Amino acid sequence: MHHDTRTAIIEAAASLFSDLGYSAVSMRDVANKVGVTPANLYHHFKGKDELIREALAHVFTHKTASLEALLNVNQDADEKLEAFVHWLVHLLAEDKIFCRLLVRELTDGDAGRLEYLSKTVFERPFTLVRSLASTRVRDGEDDFLAAVSIIGVVLGQVQLGAIVRHLPGGCSDHLDPDVITRHVIAALRECFKTTSIKDA
Amino acid sequence: MHHDTRTAIIEAAASLFSDLGYSAVSMRDVANKVGVTPANLYHHFKGKDELIREALAHVFTHKTASLEALLNVNQDADEKLEAFVHWLVHLLAEDKIFCRLLVRELTDGDAGRLEYLSKTVFERPFTLVRSLASTRVRDGEDDFLAAVSIIGVVLGQVQLGAIVRHLPGGCSDHLDPDVITRHVIAALRECFKTTSIKDA
DNA sequence: GTCTATAATTTGATAGAC
DNA sequence: GTCTATCAAATTATAGAC
C-alpha cells in the first residue's frame, strides 16, 4: 500500500490529529498506527512540531484544485454559486480529516498557521465566492461579509451536525450532504432574489 | 476577589482549556494560574476528567437564561428573530471562553458530552429559532434546517473571523459584532421576504 | 532506513504533615 | 483546606547498532 514510510507517517498523523487534537496524540500513537518504532519518526521529522506542519500541508495543499476546474465551465453566476455550495458541502462532509483539521486550525492556529491556512485553503474559494456575490448583493450591502456568510453557513451546518440527533426534530436526513446542499442553495436563491441589477 | 478556591480553580481551568484544549493543559498549569499547588486540585476534584466536566458545566449552565427574558417582550416574529441574532452574535463575540469551549465540544465531545451540550446550551435557543422560522419558510422548505442555518451562519461568521484579516478585502470592521449582526439580519430579511402566510 | 535502548522531562495522581 | 514530598507512568527526543 504505502511504499513511502514518510507519507504513511504523515497520513497516520493527520488522521490521529484530526480525531484527537495535536497534544492528545503522542509520537508513540502515530508510530503504532503506522507499525514502526517512535525513533523512526525522528529520522523523518525533526520533532512533533515539524510532523504537525507536514501533516497540515499534506491535507491542505491542492485541496481547492478541483474547484477551479468545476467553475471554468460556462455557467452564469447563479449556477456557479450553486456549484460552489455543492462542492464545499461535499468536501467538508466527505473528507472529515480535512474538515476537522480546518476547524482545529481556525480555533487553535497561531498567526503564522492561520495565514498559511488562509493562503492554501481559503483565498481562492473566498475570492471566487466574493466575486460571485458582489454582482448580486443589494446596494449598500457588504460583499465581503456575504462571502463569509456563504462559506460560514456551510461550515456551521456541518459543525452543528454533531448535535443534530440531539435536537428536537433532528433526523439523519439533516446530515445528508445532498439535503444540506439543496437547503443552502434554496436559501441563497431567496436571499439574492432581488439583485441591484434587476432592480435598476 | 475569589474567596472560593474551588470556583477559582474551575474558572482558571475553563480559561486555559478554552485557549489550549484539554490535553494541552496540565493540572500544574491550572494550579499555577490559581496560585495553589497541584495537590490542592485533587482535594476539590477526583481528577482531570471531573475538572473538565465541572468547567464545562460552569461555563455552559444558564448561558441561555438572558435569551428567555429578551424574547418575552411583545414583538412580532421578525423582531424576535432579529433580537436572537443580536443576542447570539454578541454572546459568541464577547464570551470567548464560552465560544471556544463550544466549538471544542462540537469537534471533540463524545456522545454523552454532546447530549449534555445540546440540552444545556442549544435546545432552548434552537426550539425558539425553529418556531420563529417555521412560520416564515416557504412551503416545502425544512424549518429544522432553516434553524440550523441561522445559528450556523452566526457560528461560521465568528469562526471565520480568525482569518478575516488574511483574506483579500478583510478589515477590522468585519469583526465588529454590530456590523456582523446588521449583515446577518439584512440577509435573513431577504431570505424570508416572501412568507407562506403573506403569500396566502 | 529501521531498530534497541535509554536519557531527560512532564504528567496525573497519592500519602501524610500542618 | 492547603501544603511538601514523592511516585509511577507517559512523553519527547537522542545515541548508536544493524
Side-chain angles (χ1 to χ4, degrees), chain A residues 12-29:
Chain A
S15 171
L16 288 170
F17 289 152
S18 84
D19 271 347
L20 304 167
Y22 309 118
S23 57
V25 175
S26 70
M27 298 296 263
R28 260 182 173 74
D29 295 332

mmCIF file of all heavy atoms in Angstrom, chain A residues 12-29:
data_model
loop_
_atom_site.group_PDB
_atom_site.id
_atom_site.type_symbol
_atom_site.label_atom_id
_atom_site.label_comp_id
_atom_site.label_asym_id
_atom_site.label_seq_id
_atom_site.Cartn_x
_atom_site.Cartn_y
_atom_site.Cartn_z
ATOM 1 N N ALA A 12 -1.006 8.915 8.794
ATOM 2 C CA ALA A 12 -1.450 8.416 10.101
ATOM 3 C C ALA A 12 -1.563 9.564 11.093
ATOM 4 O O ALA A 12 -2.524 9.647 11.875
ATOM 5 C CB ALA A 12 -0.482 7.358 10.609
ATOM 6 N N ALA A 13 -0.577 10.462 11.054
ATOM 7 C CA ALA A 13 -0.580 11.604 11.969
ATOM 8 C C ALA A 13 -1.779 12.503 11.699
ATOM 9 O O ALA A 13 -2.478 12.921 12.632
ATOM 10 C CB ALA A 13 0.723 12.390 11.824
ATOM 11 N N ALA A 14 -2.040 12.778 10.425
ATOM 12 C CA ALA A 14 -3.164 13.649 10.074
ATOM 13 C C ALA A 14 -4.473 13.054 10.579
ATOM 14 O O ALA A 14 -5.326 13.761 11.135
ATOM 15 C CB ALA A 14 -3.223 13.853 8.558
ATOM 16 N N SER A 15 -4.624 11.752 10.425
ATOM 17 C CA SER A 15 -5.846 11.086 10.872
ATOM 18 C C SER A 15 -6.013 11.190 12.385
ATOM 19 O O SER A 15 -7.094 11.541 12.889
ATOM 20 C CB SER A 15 -5.811 9.614 10.433
ATOM 21 O OG SER A 15 -6.864 8.902 11.028
ATOM 22 N N LEU A 16 -4.922 10.911 13.119
ATOM 23 C CA LEU A 16 -4.990 10.964 14.579
ATOM 24 C C LEU A 16 -5.171 12.398 15.073
ATOM 25 O O LEU A 16 -5.991 12.652 15.961
ATOM 26 C CB LEU A 16 -3.721 10.347 15.174
ATOM 27 C CG LEU A 16 -3.618 8.825 15.056
ATOM 28 C CD1 LEU A 16 -2.239 8.339 15.458
ATOM 29 C CD2 LEU A 16 -4.685 8.151 15.906
ATOM 30 N N PHE A 17 -4.420 13.331 14.506
ATOM 31 C CA PHE A 17 -4.545 14.737 14.905
ATOM 32 C C PHE A 17 -5.969 15.235 14.681
ATOM 33 O O PHE A 17 -6.507 15.976 15.513
ATOM 34 C CB PHE A 17 -3.557 15.606 14.124
ATOM 35 C CG PHE A 17 -2.121 15.421 14.523
ATOM 36 C CD1 PHE A 17 -1.102 15.643 13.604
ATOM 37 C CD2 PHE A 17 -1.784 15.038 15.809
ATOM 38 C CE1 PHE A 17 0.228 15.473 13.970
ATOM 39 C CE2 PHE A 17 -0.458 14.861 16.175
ATOM 40 C CZ PHE A 17 0.553 15.088 15.241
ATOM 41 N N SER A 18 -6.569 14.861 13.573
ATOM 42 C CA SER A 18 -7.915 15.352 13.268
ATOM 43 C C SER A 18 -8.928 14.793 14.265
ATOM 44 O O SER A 18 -9.874 15.474 14.634
ATOM 45 C CB SER A 18 -8.311 14.979 11.845
ATOM 46 O OG SER A 18 -8.828 13.672 11.772
ATOM 47 N N ASP A 19 -8.705 13.568 14.709
ATOM 48 C CA ASP A 19 -9.647 12.943 15.644
ATOM 49 C C ASP A 19 -9.487 13.450 17.075
ATOM 50 O O ASP A 19 -10.469 13.668 17.777
ATOM 51 C CB ASP A 19 -9.458 11.425 15.647
ATOM 52 C CG ASP A 19 -10.306 10.745 14.596
ATOM 53 O OD1 ASP A 19 -11.214 11.411 14.051
ATOM 54 O OD2 ASP A 19 -10.066 9.568 14.308
ATOM 55 N N LEU A 20 -8.233 13.608 17.517
ATOM 56 C CA LEU A 20 -7.981 13.816 18.941
ATOM 57 C C LEU A 20 -7.327 15.152 19.277
ATOM 58 O O LEU A 20 -7.270 15.525 20.445
ATOM 59 C CB LEU A 20 -7.084 12.676 19.463
ATOM 60 C CG LEU A 20 -7.624 11.257 19.243
ATOM 61 C CD1 LEU A 20 -6.537 10.227 19.505
ATOM 62 C CD2 LEU A 20 -8.838 10.998 20.113
ATOM 63 N N GLY A 21 -6.819 15.851 18.271
ATOM 64 C CA GLY A 21 -6.073 17.079 18.541
ATOM 65 C C GLY A 21 -4.595 16.792 18.674
ATOM 66 O O GLY A 21 -4.192 15.666 18.981
ATOM 67 N N TYR A 22 -3.781 17.819 18.469
ATOM 68 C CA TYR A 22 -2.333 17.633 18.410
ATOM 69 C C TYR A 22 -1.759 17.106 19.720
ATOM 70 O O TYR A 22 -1.040 16.114 19.744
ATOM 71 C CB TYR A 22 -1.648 18.955 18.047
ATOM 72 C CG TYR A 22 -2.243 19.603 16.822
ATOM 73 C CD1 TYR A 22 -2.849 20.847 16.889
ATOM 74 C CD2 TYR A 22 -2.208 18.953 15.587
ATOM 75 C CE1 TYR A 22 -3.402 21.438 15.764
ATOM 76 C CE2 TYR A 22 -2.769 19.533 14.462
ATOM 77 C CZ TYR A 22 -3.365 20.774 14.555
ATOM 78 O OH TYR A 22 -3.921 21.350 13.457
ATOM 79 N N SER A 23 -2.078 17.748 20.817
ATOM 80 C CA SER A 23 -1.398 17.404 22.061
ATOM 81 C C SER A 23 -1.905 16.098 22.659
ATOM 82 O O SER A 23 -1.240 15.526 23.511
ATOM 83 C CB SER A 23 -1.536 18.533 23.072
ATOM 84 O OG SER A 23 -2.907 18.803 23.294
ATOM 85 N N ALA A 24 -3.070 15.640 22.210
ATOM 86 C CA ALA A 24 -3.595 14.376 22.735
ATOM 87 C C ALA A 24 -2.992 13.175 22.005
ATOM 88 O O ALA A 24 -3.203 12.042 22.410
ATOM 89 C CB ALA A 24 -5.116 14.348 22.627
ATOM 90 N N VAL A 25 -2.267 13.432 20.940
ATOM 91 C CA VAL A 25 -1.647 12.350 20.162
ATOM 92 C C VAL A 25 -0.149 12.358 20.399
ATOM 93 O O VAL A 25 0.512 13.373 20.183
ATOM 94 C CB VAL A 25 -1.940 12.529 18.656
ATOM 95 C CG1 VAL A 25 -1.198 11.481 17.845
ATOM 96 C CG2 VAL A 25 -3.433 12.473 18.395
ATOM 97 N N SER A 26 0.382 11.231 20.863
ATOM 98 C CA SER A 26 1.819 11.131 21.106
ATOM 99 C C SER A 26 2.519 10.561 19.883
ATOM 100 O O SER A 26 1.901 9.940 19.013
ATOM 101 C CB SER A 26 2.094 10.245 22.320
ATOM 102 O OG SER A 26 1.795 8.894 22.010
ATOM 103 N N MET A 27 3.820 10.758 19.835
ATOM 104 C CA MET A 27 4.620 10.184 18.751
ATOM 105 C C MET A 27 4.477 8.660 18.758
ATOM 106 O O MET A 27 4.498 8.018 17.703
ATOM 107 C CB MET A 27 6.081 10.592 18.917
ATOM 108 C CG MET A 27 6.315 12.093 18.852
ATOM 109 S SD MET A 27 5.914 12.814 17.245
ATOM 110 C CE MET A 27 7.538 12.878 16.479
ATOM 111 N N ARG A 28 4.340 8.082 19.945
ATOM 112 C CA ARG A 28 4.094 6.644 20.045
ATOM 113 C C ARG A 28 2.816 6.243 19.310
ATOM 114 O O ARG A 28 2.783 5.250 18.593
ATOM 115 C CB ARG A 28 3.933 6.260 21.520
ATOM 116 C CG ARG A 28 5.132 5.664 22.180
ATOM 117 C CD ARG A 28 4.745 5.296 23.625
ATOM 118 N NE ARG A 28 5.809 4.560 24.275
ATOM 119 C CZ ARG A 28 6.935 5.113 24.696
ATOM 120 N NH1 ARG A 28 7.147 6.401 24.493
ATOM 121 N NH2 ARG A 28 7.849 4.376 25.281
ATOM 122 N N ASP A 29 1.763 7.016 19.543
ATOM 123 C CA ASP A 29 0.478 6.700 18.911
ATOM 124 C C ASP A 29 0.617 6.650 17.388
ATOM 125 O O ASP A 29 0.115 5.735 16.733
ATOM 126 C CB ASP A 29 -0.572 7.754 19.293
ATOM 127 C CG ASP A 29 -0.899 7.736 20.781
ATOM 128 O OD1 ASP A 29 -0.769 6.658 21.394
ATOM 129 O OD2 ASP A 29 -1.286 8.790 21.314
#
